[in-house]
């Protein structure tokens, strides 16, 4: 998508053009993730941020592992020792 000029309005608010909001899948009232990457402001939908976080985690989890099942087993083992 081509870059567009936008203005920062009163209170530091940034108006994201409608075409970009649609592309991101965000609407008025939604919460987004904002960060600075190499001097650039980056805006992501929460769903996209979660998708990225899950992808990062997946790289560190062995194939076929189920972390929630492992956590439950650990908690049960701890409870047995108490």
């Amino acid at each position: 998508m081509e870059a567009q000029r936008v203005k920062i309005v009163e209170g530091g608010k940034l108006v994201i053009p409608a075409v970009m909001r649609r592309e991101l899948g965000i609407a008025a009232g939604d919460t987004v993730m904002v960060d600075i990457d190499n001097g650039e402001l980056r805006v992501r939908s929460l769903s996209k941020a979660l998708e990225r976080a899950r992808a990062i985690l997946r790289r560190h989890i062995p194939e076929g592992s189920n972390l929630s099942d492992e956590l439950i087993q650990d908690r049960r083992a701890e409870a047995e020792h108490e």
Side-chain angles (χ1 to χ4, degrees):
M1 176 170 292
E2 189 174 314
Q4 294 186 26
R5 282 181 111 164
V6 297
K7 289 191 181 228
I8 305 297
V9 296
E10 189 68 31
K13 296 175 185 172
L14 171 71
V15 178
I16 302 171
V19 67
M20 291 182 174
R21 292 193 310 271
R22 281 193 297 274
E23 176 91 12
L24 291 171
I26 58 175
D30 287 353
T31 300
V32 296
M33 298 296 294
V34 179
D35 62 18
I36 296 175
D37 185 23
N38 290 324
E40 296 180 352
L41 180 66
R42 184 169 56 170
V43 179
R44 293 175 287 159
S45 65
L46 281 179
S47 61
K48 187 56 82 174
L50 285 172
E51 182 181 306
R52 184 169 188 265
R54 287 180 183 127
I56 291 168
L57 286 173
R58 240 181 258 116
R59 292 192 303 237
H60 302 284
I61 300 170
E63 187 70 33
S65 293
N66 185 324
L67 295 182
S68 58
D69 287 345
E70 290 178 24
L71 178 61
I72 291 168
Q73 287 174 347
D74 288 348
R75 294 296 183 257
R76 287 182 179 151
E78 287 174 11
E80 287 176 10
H81 290 108
E82 290 181 357

